[in-house]
């Protein structure tokens, strides 16, 4: 017998090929055939006509249940934006691109507002403030430096963020592992990193409860 696998609900009745409508009752039948399970979803009519008056054994199915069909919801735009911001944050964190230090920070703040990230602490390094962010669900930790947000830089940073959200990382950066502009040995330039899992938290707590 094969391992159990996931078989998602069909959009069509296996008996008559009619599409299920939202909130329609359907019947699921599980067959065991040649060492695998096969799921069939049928409408009420087909269930009554073909299956309900016979025993499962006669028709060969080993399990049966009834459900209510729910049309797949349209993709939630908010969730997509969240994912995009988080995906970008991860990419920028991994690539440690000095040019995007500002954008990285802004993305982190956006994700914090959406409660995707939590501030777990902050440290000072060479006069620069470093925030420790934790991804609320996965526990991944990001350390992200507070950039120079002076007025003349802020314009460029906002432009970078808008550009990233619209188009993602520029192609040449997406495919590279190393940023050629980055100094070989870590300097102030490498001000972002991802640490998976737990960290020691002897840092001062910040943003106690927003
Ligand atoms: Zn049917």
């Amino acid at each position: 017998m094969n391992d159990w696998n996931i078989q998602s609900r069909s959009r069509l009745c296996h008996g008559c090929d009619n599409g299920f409508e939202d909130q329609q009752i359907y019947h699921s039948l599980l067959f065991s055939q040649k060492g695998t399970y096969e799921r069939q979803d049928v409408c009420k009519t087909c269930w009554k006509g073909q299956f309900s008056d016979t025993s499962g054994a006669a028709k060969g199915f080993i399990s049966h249940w009834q459900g209510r069909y729910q049309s797949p919801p349209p993709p939630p735009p908010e969730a997509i934006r969240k994912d995009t911001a988080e995906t970008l944050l991860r990419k920028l964190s991994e690539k440690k691109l000095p040019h995007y230090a500002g954008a990285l920070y802004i993305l982190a703040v956006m994700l914090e507002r959406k409660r995707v990230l939590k501030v777990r602490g902050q440290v000072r390094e060479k006069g620069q403030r470093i925030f420790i962010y934790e991804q609320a669900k996965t526990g991944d930790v990001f350390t992200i430096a507070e950039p120079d947000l002076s007025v003349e830089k802020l314009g460029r940073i906002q432009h970078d963020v808008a550009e990233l959200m619209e188009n993602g990382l520029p192609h040449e950066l997406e495919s590279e592992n190393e940023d050629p502009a980055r100094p070989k040995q870590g300097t102030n330039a490498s001000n972002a990193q991802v640490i998976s899992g737990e960290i020691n938290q002897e840092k001062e707590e910040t943003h106690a409860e927003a």
Side-chain angles (χ1 to χ4, degrees):
M1 186 65 69
N2 284 359
D3 286 342
W4 173 242
N5 54 24
I6 298 172
Q7 297 187 44
S8 48
R9 185 175 54 199
S10 174
R11 289 166 182 242
L12 304 174
C13 169
H14 189 85
C16 63
D17 276 346
N18 285 336
F20 293 125
E21 285 172 21
D22 196 34
Q23 302 304 314
Q24 184 179 343
I25 299 291
Y26 65 89
H27 294 261
S28 290
L29 310 170
L30 196 64
F31 294 86
S32 172
Q33 286 172 341
K34 294 175 186 162
T36 60
Y37 292 118
E38 189 199 327
R39 173 181 176 169
Q40 291 181 8
D41 299 317
V42 296
C43 70
K44 210 173 185 174
T45 309
C46 290
W47 164 252
K48 281 191 174 151
Q50 298 176 32
F51 298 102
S52 64
D53 55 347
T54 57
S55 72
K59 285 290 182 180
F61 60 90
I62 55 170
S63 186
H64 157 249
W65 65 94
Q66 184 179 311
R68 190 181 289 274
Y69 185 81
Q70 286 176 307
S71 299
E78 182 66 11
I80 286 173
R81 273 210 298 282
K82 267 186 209 170
D83 270 345
T84 308
E86 188 178 341
T87 311
L88 285 168
L89 179 96
R90 286 179 183 277
K91 284 180 183 168
L92 292 180
S93 293
E94 279 160 15
K95 288 176 184 295
K96 299 186 173 75
L97 305 170
H99 174 83
Y100 287 115
L104 180 64
Y105 176 76
I106 298 294
L107 287 170
V109 172
M110 285 168 58
L111 288 165
E112 183 196 351
R113 290 205 186 119
K114 290 177 187 296
R115 297 170 194 274
V116 175
L117 296 182
K118 282 190 233 170
V119 176
R120 285 305 196 185
Q122 58 172 290
V123 292
R124 278 203 167 266
E125 225 175 71
K126 294 171 187 155
Q128 196 173 30
R129 201 140 64 126
I130 315 275
F131 288 100
I132 299 164
Y133 283 101
E134 184 188 45
Q135 213 281 6
K137 284 189 184 145
T138 65
D140 286 351
V141 163
F142 303 83
T143 54
I144 293 172
E146 184 178 47
D148 175 6
L149 291 176
S150 55
V151 178
E152 61 270 25
K153 298 242 172 111
L154 195 56
R156 197 207 79 195
I157 292 170
Q158 284 169 337
H159 174 265
D160 281 349
V161 172
E163 185 77 15
L164 286 166
M165 294 296 279
E166 184 74 21
N167 301 316
L169 268 184
H171 241 36
E172 62 272 19
L173 295 178
E174 185 76 64
S175 50
E176 276 172 20
N177 287 326
E178 284 289 304
D179 173 21
R182 182 178 147 226
K184 282 290 170 239
Q185 278 305 321
T187 63
N188 281 347
S190 58
N191 49 12
Q193 59 175 319
V194 189
I195 307 160
S196 286
E198 294 289 305
I199 53 159
N200 287 327
Q201 285 188 31
E202 50 207 41
K203 335 285 183 192
E204 58 179 299
E205 283 291 323
T206 54
H207 297 222
E209 193 48 46

